[in-house]
Amino acid sequence: MSRPTIAEVSALVADLAALRQSRTSADHAALMERKADLLERITAHTPGDTDAAEVARLARERADSLKSDG
């Protein structure tokens, strides 16, 4: 897994803010998938950080539930 970059985190935060303005379920699901991927990559590069691992796990669960809802 590649190390996440500040640019990727910044882009995700900007997209989250934009989503608040005009939200569709497809946009939300895709963004939550990106969020989960990014958090999993962060966790992969911070072994032993149980808080990061838990946040990533919860984000993945949410992203997966949105996929199955759609």
Side-chain angles (χ1 to χ4, degrees):
M1 251 183 213
S2 64
R3 182 178 295 270
T5 66
I6 294 299
E8 288 175 298
V9 173
S10 294
L12 178 64
V13 169
D15 290 346
L16 285 167
L19 183 67
R20 288 188 191 121
Q21 300 301 315
S22 63
R23 180 173 155 166
T24 68
S25 60
D27 291 340
H28 185 242
L31 195 53
M32 292 304 102
E33 180 71 20
R34 278 179 52 205
K35 177 182 171 185
D37 290 344
L38 185 60
L39 289 170
E40 288 170 341
R41 289 172 47 214
I42 290 169
T43 299
H45 288 278
T46 55
D49 187 337
T50 57
D51 290 335
E54 179 65 4
V55 169
R57 183 188 69 75
L58 293 170
R60 174 54 57 203
E61 282 181 7
R62 178 67 177 142
D64 289 349
S65 74
L66 291 170
K67 278 194 273 187
S68 65
D69 291 347

